[in-house]
Amino acid sequence: MESCASSANGSVTITKLSSFAISLFLMLICSYFTSTEAYDAPDPTGNITIKWDIMSWTPDGYVAVVTIFNFQQYRHIQAPGWSLGWTWAKKEVIWSMVGGQTTEQGDCSKFKGNIPHCCKKSPTVVDLLPGTPYNQQIANCCRGGVINSWGQDPANAVSSFQVSVGHAGTTNRSVKVPKNFTLMAPGPGYTCGPAKTGPPTKFVTADKRRVTQAMMTWNVTCTYSQFLSQKTPTCCVSLSSFYNDTIVPCPTCACGCQNNITQPGTCVESESPYLASALSGPGKSSNTPLVQCTRHMCPIRIHWHVKVNYKDYWRVKVTITNFNYRMNYTQWNLVVQHPNFDNLTEAFSFNYKALTPYGGLNDTAMLWGMKFYNDLLMQAGPLGNVQSELLFRKDQFTFTFDKGWAFPRRIYFNGDNCVMPPPDAYPWLPNSSPSPVFSFLPIITALLSLACLLAYA
């Protein structure tokens, strides 16, 4: 009996150890894969804030000004622009709007005289286009939904519209806050929290001699996740240097793989006779990229070339190439992480701004084009690229060309993290060669864990 009991206990112990070992193995495997989360390391506090300011009461509701603030340092909203949705808490209707419009009117058949602008329970609002008559505009409206980033162009990082709401409360106690806010910019990617009552917004008059305030203010915060925005990356990085003839291309299938057999039309050759028909095809007005056929299949490629080595300086050439035949990138920007940005001397044809969210650590730079010169990245073709050179001063304690130090740690294009080549593929100095690196840490961790379990078994 004792032998049977000990055998049973041993089987249970082995089963538990096997389950633990499998779980630990899966955790270690998962630790090798990176994920794109809502948290932005170079811009940890970046978000889009929506302010709903009730400016006055009406006989059956109120008039509000809704303002969208893009507090993100480098991520902007490009054409065709934002669309904002929500769900009414009661049976509210929109009587009229200024500076914006709903995409659908809904069923307003129960109204006989004055017909509301929108009767939908869950309306969706879009910005008006440039050229809208002045009597339909308010401040910060009518840019087609385009909002620039706060770090790049704060004057145009705001968008507003005015809405007159009926069948709603007429006091601070009876009015109900809308819920289930959604923001498309222009596609998915943003997640909005619940609206919260905040201190009433204050407004300074034009002569700056009087301050007024809203009757009530609600705030909604929306954060971005690249994982929610798209299933695949949108850009990749290639590398080269003067000291090595090797050109490290973007990783193969970085943004997808060529598959014109099962998915025809995913890409088109640059000299294909079918290019013109593909551009005018069914997806002409959509946001679906039509990219040039490449090994990486990315709409955007950033190439970092270590160009020249001087006595006290070193020089880099950065080239951004557009492989998307359906997209012009206006107000594009690039965010680059490299430890030598604390000694950047000059960016020759790009604007530069240091991003220092962590105090004294200055290793991240935002670069964007100069207005009317190279702030527009044209669609794929002969003009589909922009380039500049960066001049760095050497730091005698940190500078080296060894082990790929001269190449960036991470690159973002328009806020999206780009796929980097693996470190062991970087161009190496002629007198050095990459050696395979193998980490024993996961194995040691697993062995220690099993040893502890066996000790207490």
Side-chain angles (χ1 to χ4, degrees):
M1 293 294 291
E2 292 180 0
S3 62
C4 292
S6 61
S7 177
N9 291 335
S11 300
V12 171
T13 303
I14 292 172
T15 303
K16 289 182 178 179
L17 286 174
S18 300
S19 301
F20 175 80
I22 292 172
S23 302
L24 183 61
F25 176 75
L26 291 174
M27 290 175 63
L28 293 173
I29 289 295
C30 293
S31 68
Y32 280 97
F33 295 92
T34 58
S35 62
T36 306
E37 302 174 353
Y39 176 76
D40 246 342
D43 187 19
T45 59
N47 67 75
I48 289 183
T49 298
I50 302 165
K51 276 188 173 292
W52 190 295
D53 294 311
I54 297 178
M55 306 302 293
S56 61
W57 303 108
T58 61
D60 71 335
Y62 59 86
V63 175
V65 173
V66 181
T67 307
I68 303 172
F69 294 92
N70 184 8
F71 289 128
Q72 298 174 112
Q73 288 293 320
Y74 49 81
R75 186 175 290 110
H76 58 263
I77 300 175
Q78 58 191 15
W82 57 264
S83 59
L84 179 65
W86 64 83
T87 300
W88 292 118
K90 299 193 291 185
K91 296 182 179 180
E92 293 92 336
V93 296
I94 298 176
W95 285 116
S96 62
M97 294 190 68
V98 181
Q101 63 182 4
T102 59
T103 55
E104 297 181 46
Q105 184 184 32
D107 183 10
C108 297
S109 58
K110 66 180 181 180
F111 293 89
K112 304 301 181 184
N114 190 15
I115 306 299
H117 176 82
C118 178
C119 301
K120 287 182 69 69
K121 178 73 172 178
S122 299
T124 299
V125 174
V126 295
D127 194 13
L128 297 181
L129 297 174
T132 298
Y134 289 112
N135 61 349
Q136 299 177 26
Q137 295 187 27
I138 65 168
N140 299 315
C141 85
C142 313
R143 302 192 190 107
V146 175
I147 306 180
N148 291 336
S149 63
W150 194 263
Q152 189 172 348
D153 187 8
N156 292 307
V158 182
S159 185
S160 301
F161 62 87
Q162 179 180 293
V163 58
S164 178
V165 182
H167 293 190
T170 57
T171 65
N172 286 19
R173 291 186 177 181
S174 60
V175 71
K176 297 295 182 182
V177 60
K179 53 188 179 181
N180 300 333
F181 279 85
T182 59
L183 177 66
M184 306 291 281
Y190 286 92
T191 302
C192 299
K196 297 181 180 180
T197 302
T201 304
K202 296 184 178 181
F203 305 92
V204 181
T205 57
D207 60 4
K208 299 182 179 180
R209 301 178 65 187
R210 174 176 164 80
V211 177
T212 60
Q213 71 178 41
M215 304 293 177
M216 195 173 188
T217 295
W218 298 318
N219 297 315
V220 180
T221 301
C222 303
T223 56
Y224 179 84
S225 168
Q226 186 176 345
F227 178 77
L228 296 177
S229 178
Q230 64 266 324
K231 296 180 180 179
T232 59
T234 58
C235 55
C236 64
V237 180
S238 58
L239 308 170
S240 64
S241 66
F242 71 89
Y243 54 78
N244 193 314
D245 293 335
T246 303
I247 298 177
V248 180
C250 287
T252 302
C253 295
C255 302
C257 296
Q258 290 188 42
N259 195 351
N260 279 330
I261 298 175
T262 58
Q263 293 178 319
T266 54
C267 71
V268 60
E269 298 289 347
S270 58
E271 298 181 0
S272 171
Y274 304 105
L275 177 59
S277 60
L279 289 174
S280 59
K284 178 181 178 181
S285 58
S286 70
N287 294 323
T288 306
L290 177 62
V291 300
Q292 181 179 325
C293 292
T294 57
R295 292 172 65 252
H296 54 78
M297 290 294 288
C298 291
I300 294 293
R301 182 190 68 194
I302 295 95
H303 185 75
W304 180 280
H305 175 66
V306 180
K307 186 176 180 180
V308 184
N309 181 29
Y310 304 107
K311 179 181 178 182
D312 296 319
Y313 300 89
W314 62 291
R315 195 181 187 108
V316 169
K317 182 177 182 180
V318 180
T319 304
I320 307 171
T321 304
N322 185 3
F323 291 95
N324 189 353
Y325 287 104
R326 286 194 180 130
M327 176 70 76
N328 292 331
Y329 293 89
T330 58
Q331 295 291 323
W332 59 268
N333 64 58
L334 205 65
V335 173
V336 185
Q337 289 184 324
H338 190 282
N340 213 162
F341 270 115
D342 58 350
N343 279 327
L344 179 68
T345 302
E346 188 170 358
F348 287 93
S349 56
F350 287 172
N351 290 306
Y352 160 78
K353 178 181 180 180
L355 298 181
T356 55
Y358 306 105
L361 184 62
N362 181 15
D363 67 344
T364 306
M366 184 171 77
L367 307 168
W368 68 97
M370 295 182 174
K371 195 172 182 63
F372 304 124
Y373 177 60
N374 57 2
D375 61 335
L376 173 63
L377 177 57
M378 298 292 290
Q379 72 269 19
L383 301 177
N385 67 86
V386 292
Q387 55 190 6
S388 179
E389 295 190 2
L390 309 175
L391 186 65
F392 297 93
R393 176 184 288 274
K394 294 179 180 178
D395 185 333
Q396 60 176 339
F397 299 105
T398 60
F399 175 80
T400 178
F401 282 133
D402 193 20
K403 298 179 180 179
W405 183 89
F407 298 105
R409 284 27 174 185
R410 184 174 293 183
I411 291 182
Y412 298 79
F413 178 80
N414 278 358
D416 287 339
N417 194 2
C418 300
V419 179
M420 298 285 296
D424 58 356
Y426 285 14
W428 288 67
L429 287 170
N431 295 330
S432 63
S433 60
S435 57
V437 178
F438 184 78
S439 176
F440 288 96
L441 181 60
I443 296 176
I444 294 172
T445 304
L447 292 175
L448 288 175
S449 301
L450 288 173
C452 291
L453 282 174
L454 291 172
Y456 287 99

